Amino acid sequence: MVLSKTASDSDVSIHSTFASRYVRTALPRFKMPEDSIPKEAAWQIINDELMLDGNPRLNLASFVTTWMEPECDKLIMASINKNYVDMDEYPNRCVNMIAHLFHAPLGETETAVGVGTVGSSEAIMLAGLAFKRKWQNKMKAAGKPHDKPNIVTGANVQVCWEKFARYFEVELKEVKLSEGWDTPIHVDAASGGFIAPFLYPELEWDFTLPLVKSINVSGHKYGLVYAGIGWCIWRSKEDLPDELIFHINYLGADQPTFTLNFSKGSSQVIAQYYQLIRLGFEGYKNIMENCQENARVLKEGLEKTGRFNIVSKEQGVPLVAFSLKDSSRHTEFEVSDFLRRFGWIVPAYTMPPDAQHVTVLRVVIREDFSRTLAERLVSDIVKVLEELDAIPARVTCKLAASEESSEGKLVKKTAIEVQREITTAWKKFVQNKKKTSGVC
């Protein structure tokens, strides 16, 4: 007689993960489960869900870095359990290097004033708070009202400036800047701060301008670090009110701190330090030039199709924004949707107010977007256009189906008749596709 037994919950780990009950039992999505599960099952379940995410390197919507050298990946993993607040040396080194890159007026032995942040959004909040407090102190000293601060920005600023104004009760005014401006300035260099010094060294935008008092920059964009790091640099100690700075002594010595977050991971700081010393000025310059060149390759490839208008400028952040010359049959949103079938994530969106009738597709050129990928993207876009052209145009199909001539008069069809016409057209299209592909 053959004896057998059913595996108990306690010995489930001896089986393959896919042979266990955990892959056929739905786990709660919004509540913590009552019972524990084996680590292998937990890993497999999460890993399987992550497979449904898009490939980060093919996500051309984002400025955020998606590739770093394996050596840096090792440093990140080695420091993933370290708290930023327990670090004293590395953040200061990064702050000083970036401050010198932005031409902060520092003496040979003078330490730069700055802080590492979770991203440019936190950096903007801190810079805004410094401006607000400095203005309030000035108005109090003059015996003037100080309860209604305002901040002046251009009309094209990122949404985090609106967040700052709303969260910290500051009136936001959008204006077009003109000559004769004599008010202290903060430069939002989130995307361009790590580009301008290497591609446009003659451009005056940083601390070379006397009115610039602080600059924020995103380390996880063209600073070439994974998501989660930004920097805010002040021109001098006088530009950061001392009452905003807290002092801690966890490391055995006084350590000033000015952040919205107390505890946060230190791995991105280590990664930024690695990039700064590993690449140096030469390396960053080469990478930015490569990005600019690959943007040119993509732009020229799109122009050769004869189907697109290029709406982005060649100078500035390496990206290509483009729109269909003829969108009467197909839209930019359809092109974006069809590109996902090839793995590409290329966003389509409407322009800001006063130009919202214009829809564009945008490709951000990052370090890991090679010339080969640029050429492949153009090839896939051409395939998408050919496929869209082969589909009966939706507007034309609906118009033809909803109206037909009867003795010189147009007769309106019912909704059911329209739907039948459209269904028939699509069936013919699918059948033709099967014939040309050899599918029976």
Side-chain angles (χ1 to χ4, degrees), residues 7 27 30 32 40 44 46 86-87 101 118 140 160 205 245 249 272 291 296 327 347 379 389 392:
L27 293 177
F30 304 113
M32 184 183 295
E40 297 85 0
Q44 191 66 60
I46 296 174
D86 294 331
M87 299 180 67
L101 185 65
V118 173
K140 287 179 183 178
C160 58
W205 63 276
I245 301 174
N249 59 356
Q272 185 73 84
C291 290
R296 183 189 63 79
S327 58
S379 175
D389 289 342

Side-chain angles (χ1 to χ4, degrees), residues 104-106 110-113 207 212-214 233-241:
L106 300 172
E110 191 175 358
T111 301
V113 181
F207 292 120
V212 173
K213 301 301 181 181
S214 56
I233 312 295
W234 283 268
R235 184 182 194 88
S236 65
K237 293 181 180 178
E238 289 71 29
D239 297 305
L240 177 57

